[in-house]
Amino acid sequence: MLRRLFVLMALCLSLNGQAMEASLSLRVSPEFQRGNHRSPYYADLPDSRIDTATSRQDMELKLREGGFYAHGTWRVNLAEGNSTESRGLINQIFHDGKLTGDTGWSIGRKVLSWGVGFALRPLDVVQRENRRDINPPALVGVSLAALEHFTADTAWTLVWANPGAGRAENDHKDEALALRGYRFSGKDDVHIVARISRARQFEAGIGAARVLNDEWSFHGAALYSRRYHKWLNRLAENRAEVFALTNPQARVAGQHGGKAVIGAQWTGRSGWSVLAEAFYDGEAYTRSEWRRLNALTRRQQAAAFAVPAMLRETNTAWSSQAYLNANLLRGNLLLRLSHDNGDGFTPYGEMLLTPADGGRVTTLGMTHVGNRQQFSMGWRNMGGSEHAVYRRSPVRNLFWLEWRITMGN
């Protein structure tokens, strides 16, 4: 189906070359991962090795004509010791139109990111982008129908996300009604959002950004959720068993959750920029939940002699799924230093801290953007105090590269 779509899109390009804007890009993204063999969450499984090299190759086609926009990707994944995997996907395909001069509509699959923040955007209740991911692929939009009313300094957007889908475990696929209000006044931006769905019931939030002068800016946002969900290991929560024969991860509902961010940024005339941001993710694991999971790994290690090695390693891998969350603890502090003098070359360094347990994530990277090509590379290290959650991560270091070339409009 997706291959046929690509053929159809290419045919449209050839037939409407004068009217349609089109671009074709190739993105090659190798990644090298090195494990933390001392971690109690390090699993040595032949079909999912942590110490490995992978590479993602994306061929992306983008078409635009009037209010129509389409973005598709053909992806090929390579990994050491595994067979090649390929698949196609539709990132976005939508049409924007107007009802009146100041009222518009959208229908289709579209990326719709809301709110303020760098490491976390609490008001991003539609797209829900993971902003701590490294070397991420192009975003995949949400199926929606939307109305927007705008004036010179205000905008209101009403979104029906995933029409007819009903309740879903994945927020990205959950049917919902969402409302966003935006107002610009002088040097201030004010954002408000509300969302209703069966999965989360009711969410509401407010955010703002202020530009003081050419150097200083501040931002903050907060969101309340009537209900939220997280995945917990049932063996850690009830202590009745030590090992499981099937994945023990269970989706657990929580009540009255919240997210918040506050930050400041200084940008000098020389191109140097410093960002400091504190954020709270009420849907992340608590310290007590990590302590119970750590206790489970100790019980499993103590009883390892009595069970087959494959069962032990498989249970360890299931417990390590807690490290797939965007944020591992609720309270976080991010410090970022970058430099951009306008020549397309941008080096940067980041340090994420979890003050509750002394955890630390260090990231160093650079990006160079040219006329048709873009290159980036970086390194991320998980560390901190002896008992920090990040220090016990099954992955110690990540290295990545990305080269991209674009042809067309």
Side-chain angles (χ1 to χ4, degrees), residues 25 101-102 119-120 139 184 197 202 212 280 294 301 323 332 398:
S25 63
D102 56 5
L120 178 70
L139 293 174
F184 172 75
S197 71
F202 176 72
L212 286 185
Y280 173 85
N294 291 336
Q301 290 171 353
Y323 281 88
N332 303 267
L398 287 166

Side-chain angles (χ1 to χ4, degrees), residues 12 82 128 164 169 206 222 225 265 279 316 324 334 342 407:
C12 291
N82 292 325
R128 298 187 186 270
E169 290 187 354
I206 186 170
S225 297
Q265 184 168 2
F279 61 97
T316 299
L324 299 177
L334 177 74
M407 299 164 283

